[in-house]
Amino acid sequence: MPPKVNLEKCDGCKAEQEPLCEQICPGDLMTLNPETKKAYCRSLRDCWDCMSCVKSCPQGAIETRLPYQIGYYQAKLIPLMGTNRITWTCIDLNGKVERFSFKTRND
Amino acid sequence: MPQERKLPTRLEDVEEVLVETDILVIGGGNAGCFAAIEAKKLNPNLCVTIMEKAHIDRSGCLAAGMDAINTYIRKERTIEEFVRWSRSQAGGLIREDLTISLAEVLNQPTEQWEKWGLPIEKDEDGQYRTRGKWDISIRGSEMKVILAEKVREYGCQVLNRVVATNFLLADGRVIGAMGFGVRDGKMYVILARATIVSTGGCAGLYKPYTNDGVDSHHHLWYCPFNTGAGYAMGIRAGAEMTTFEMRWCATRTKDFNGPIDTISVGYETPMINAYGEKILQERYAHLGGDAAPRFIRANVPMEEWLNGRGPCYVDTRGMSDEDIREMKIDYLNERPAFVLFLAARGQDLKKEPIEIYGNDPYIVGGHTASGYWIDVKRATTLPGLFAAGDVAGGTPNKFVGGCAAEGMLAARGAVEYLKTVPALTRPDAEQVARERQRIFAPAIRQAEVGEGIIPREMEERMQRLMDEYAGGVHQFFRMNGIQLQYALKNIRILKDQTKYLVARDLHELMEAHEVIDRLDVAEVLLHHLLFREETRWPGWQTRTDFPERNDEKFDCFVNSRRDPATGEIAVFTRPYEQLIPGDRYLP
Ligand SMILES: Cc1cc2nc3c(=O)[nH]c(=O)nc-3n(C[C@H](O)[C@H](O)[C@H](O)COP(=O)(O)OP(=O)(O)OC[C@H]3O[C@@H](n4cnc5c(N)ncnc54)[C@H](O)[C@@H]3O)c2cc1C
Ligand code: SF4
Ligand code: SF4
């Protein structure tokens, strides 16, 4: 189940013409549920786990979960986007935490 | 507020958008964006339009980023060396004229990207740091976003979420393209004085081995959203194609299906089998050992499995802590979810090496030689149409730098061509009406008949056929003529059945065209595989009924052309032209 949307955090990008995750997904997979006005991935099987939606969400509402067939529950990888930097926090299935921070653009 | 989006239910309801431009770029990925910018640099007064099925900020191969540019010629190296290397990696079969002209401008996009803000690592002497011979390390996580910003800055017009479906033709010339908006449900008719196609390669022809549940079906190495549209449009319009039989099968990380060069080239980790043997050196030394051509390296882990010596790994156990950390950073720049994969396995790379396996085969002209048959100006055999990147044939081993450079070359060719085309050509109304009918047929059928075949069903049938009868990963890439004939017969049935496709929303309409396009690519691929009655690149192309290389008959290009009037596919050969002397099988 690749992108998992936290329904508490997702505000449906109310202020935008189109939700940011929906704008960006290279596979046209993210969209809003017309009833709840929250985002969801319309076809989990087609997701590339490129994490573009995760990086784009202003609420930090999307988490990439690998398909269970590929990776065990419940590791996490969370990006934090800065202007010229990205910081990733990775937690493995035993709870071990690693942090990586690097430049994404020259200043 | 989100826009309203509607799937048309009657052809009469489909709104038509007419766009007029000087240069149309189809596919705003790596090559397409560089092409658009180059055209604007050459002449800022030109109107340059990009037609992109996704959003150019993160579309195509570069969506998640890249950690390396695999092709950069450092000061101390020469173009001849580059050609020799590329030629040997591809088993001796490349277009040397195309490779030389590419090499002449190869470094420009990389240097340009750096000026725009892409972080690239440097040596003490100020040169880009290489890993291996031709690869340089970058921090490319945001490289597509940076490129897209420049596309806008240079004043290119961008049509995001517009899916190209066919070229517009007049007297055999390409005069633009047609497609539909996956957001607005409108038909797009784009008239252009010159057209560049850069839609990338073709994924999803073959069943991946990760498809056991619903959630990982398209967990592919190649971008699953590049579904061969550019090839298919060319095939339908009668463009000459080359070398489809040189499929891109590679060694990838097992299960995740992720890139492997990061570890094996970047950190020089050896490939080992279940018994710890360094397989390239110990078992395949006669084929070049660690420097063996790409197809040998791709085939090796599969051969080991076949011979009872799998699983295979890249041995990370000798890496330092610092290198492991650096390697994870590389992955975070390219396929971040692979770092998650390692975490989800709780894998300590100092104790457990990374398992490797083959991938489902792709058609990717940036890696092998498959694609449009072009000349040095990147003109295809259809006047008015230029091709660049993974969609263009003849030049394997282009990768990021080469595809971008080819985009520049295609733009130069297209701008020069404009001199011969003073005005736009109006298309005949019948052609547009026919395409409108073809594009929206699955939506209309859903409205009128209410049932049929959904794109996913057809896609899975196609992928299973190709996997089992045309040398997929489950068959260890092997095939024979009888299997290929069986696949061809069934692909033809599927092509005929596309008239029963239904689409229930605009996304599904796009999926319908993705499968229609891939069927056209699959049919041509099967013809190529059948024609080459030899085994030139074991792994990429393994014919069990013709296990040897046959230089007498097949040391040449295999090309094809579909006759648009009859649908017949003619397959023929073109001679090899050697420009750089030396043994073509050696670097
Ligand atoms: C996971 C991965 C890792 C890689 N690692 C490296 C590496 O480390 N180093 C390296 O040098 N190379 C690497 N490569 C290869 C390299 O990225 C590609 O060869 C190159 O970027 C392809 O450029 P392109 O412009 O041809 O295709 P893309 O950049 O994929 O562009 C194709 C564009 O066409 C669009 N499109 C497709 N169909 C349609 C349609 N019907 N209508 C409109 N638009 C359409 C797509 O959305 C996309 O934007 C990697 C590739 C992948 C997938
Ligand atoms: S970008 Fe985030 S907040 Fe906006 S719709 Fe998507 S998940 Fe919700
Ligand atoms: S991870 Fe990538 S492919 Fe998957 S839903 Fe998000 S943006 Fe789309």
Side-chain angles (χ1 to χ4, degrees), chain B residues 440-569:
Chain B
F440 293 98
I444 309 300
R445 183 180 170 91
Q446 175 63 28
E448 289 178 356
V449 184
E451 66 108 42
I453 307 158
I454 61 168
R456 177 176 300 192
E457 293 170 321
M458 194 172 280
E459 176 189 82
E460 290 188 349
R461 174 73 186 134
M462 169 190 66
Q463 290 177 342
R464 168 188 284 270
L465 268 171
M466 294 302 287
D467 179 49
E468 292 172 0
Y469 300 95
V473 65
H474 295 87
Q475 296 300 329
F476 291 83
F477 305 138
R478 299 169 308 171
M479 65 194 90
N480 65 33
I482 295 163
Q483 294 161 356
L484 292 168
Q485 287 292 1
Y486 178 86
L488 188 57
K489 174 176 158 228
N490 283 276
I491 289 290
R492 286 188 179 134
I493 297 175
L494 286 180
K495 280 187 61 165
D496 182 53
Q497 297 227 319
T498 52
K499 58 182 181 259
Y500 303 125
L501 280 169
V502 289
R504 293 160 296 185
D505 58 28
L506 285 164
H507 179 78
E508 206 165 50
L509 185 62
M510 179 171 81
E511 288 184 338
H513 286 282
E514 289 173 345
V515 73
I516 290 170
D517 288 346
R518 279 176 288 174
L519 286 169
D520 282 333
V521 175
E523 189 186 19
V524 169
L525 169 60
L526 289 168
H527 275 90
H528 279 250
L529 290 169
L530 273 163
F531 191 90
R532 199 176 270 286
E533 291 183 332
E534 63 156 358
T535 297
R536 182 152 296 258
W537 309 281
W540 288 353
Q541 180 259 347
T542 307
R543 283 286 299 261
T544 47
D545 45 354
F546 296 96
E548 304 296 332
R549 198 169 83 197
N550 180 346
D551 282 341
E552 215 173 297
K553 274 179 92 175
F554 292 110
D555 187 11
C556 55
F557 295 98
V558 172
N559 284 13
S560 63
R561 183 179 176 272
R562 177 183 173 278
D563 183 338
T566 62
E568 288 297 312
I569 295 166

Side-chain angles (χ1 to χ4, degrees), chain B residues 111-379:
Chain B
E111 288 158 10
Q112 177 71 80
W113 233 322
E114 189 193 22
K115 287 203 192 87
W116 289 336
L118 173 68
I120 306 184
E121 288 169 39
K122 299 256 174 62
D123 280 345
E124 305 76 54
D125 63 354
Q127 279 212 75
Y128 296 148
R129 205 184 79 195
T130 43
R131 59 173 216 200
K133 243 187 180 168
W134 309 98
D135 307 29
I136 59 169
S137 299
I138 60 170
R139 295 272 187 257
S141 153
E142 304 303 295
M143 69 195 296
K144 189 73 206 297
V145 183
I146 295 173
L147 182 57
E149 280 170 15
K150 294 297 159 186
V151 166
R152 288 185 288 264
E153 257 176 57
Y154 273 92
C156 307
Q157 180 187 24
V158 182
L159 304 171
N160 285 319
R161 302 288 171 197
V162 178
V163 183
T165 56
N166 257 332
F167 295 122
L168 270 165
L169 298 163
D171 307 321
R173 242 174 5 103
V174 172
I175 55 161
M178 297 171 281
F180 67 98
V182 73
R183 287 283 181 272
D184 59 18
K186 294 177 186 166
M187 174 163 183
Y188 282 74
V189 177
I190 308 183
L191 306 185
R193 285 161 65 211
T195 303
I196 298 170
V197 60
S198 47
T199 48
C202 188
L205 286 170
Y206 284 82
K207 182 161 80 172
Y209 65 86
T210 48
N211 73 332
D212 34 17
V214 285
D215 293 358
S216 50
H217 186 89
H218 277 143
H219 217 277
L220 309 186
W221 169 76
Y222 195 62
C223 173
F225 316 121
N226 286 356
T227 48
Y231 297 135
M233 288 162 64
I235 290 167
R236 291 193 288 261
E240 185 171 331
M241 295 288 166
T242 190
T243 324
F244 271 36
E245 75 281 9
M246 193 176 180
R247 305 172 306 160
W248 181 238
C249 314
T251 297
R252 307 284 92 167
T253 63
K254 178 123 191 317
D255 297 340
F256 185 84
N257 219 346
I260 194 76
D261 282 4
T262 308
I263 323 169
S264 55
V265 182
Y267 298 90
E268 292 172 2
T269 47
M271 213 189 263
I272 57 171
N273 64 15
Y275 302 104
E277 292 173 310
K278 291 184 178 157
I279 39 186
L280 279 165
Q281 293 154 28
E282 291 176 32
R283 290 192 175 269
Y284 301 89
H286 58 293
L287 299 173
D290 281 330
R294 273 177 198 269
F295 54 92
I296 302 286
R297 282 184 280 148
N299 205 30
V300 153
M302 302 307 273
E303 284 293 309
E304 291 299 293
W305 268 95
L306 260 178
N307 289 302
R309 297 189 295 267
C312 295
Y313 308 90
V314 282
D315 197 354
T316 51
R317 289 172 300 183
M319 287 174 76
S320 68
D321 290 331
E322 192 42 43
D323 277 353
I324 288 176
R325 208 182 144 72
E326 277 299 312
M327 186 192 82
K328 287 186 180 173
I329 291 179
D330 286 341
Y331 272 110
L332 289 170
N333 275 288
E334 182 184 33
R335 285 294 273 136
F338 183 65
V339 176
L340 178 60
F341 170 84
L342 293 175
R345 295 276 170 108
Q347 197 164 335
D348 177 351
L349 296 177
K350 295 200 85 156
K351 298 203 183 94
E352 279 178 85
I354 293 176
E355 197 186 336
I356 52 179
Y357 204 66
N359 60 262
D360 46 306
Y362 313 112
I363 303 298
V364 184
H367 292 64
T368 67
S370 321
Y372 280 87
W373 185 252
I374 52 175
D375 67 12
V376 283
K377 299 203 161 137
R378 272 56 194 175

Side-chain angles (χ1 to χ4, degrees), chain B residues 22-41:
Chain B
D22 293 313
I23 294 188
L24 169 64
V25 178
I26 308 174
N30 173 17
C33 288
F34 270 96
I37 293 172
E38 180 69 8
K40 273 293 199 186
K41 280 188 180 171

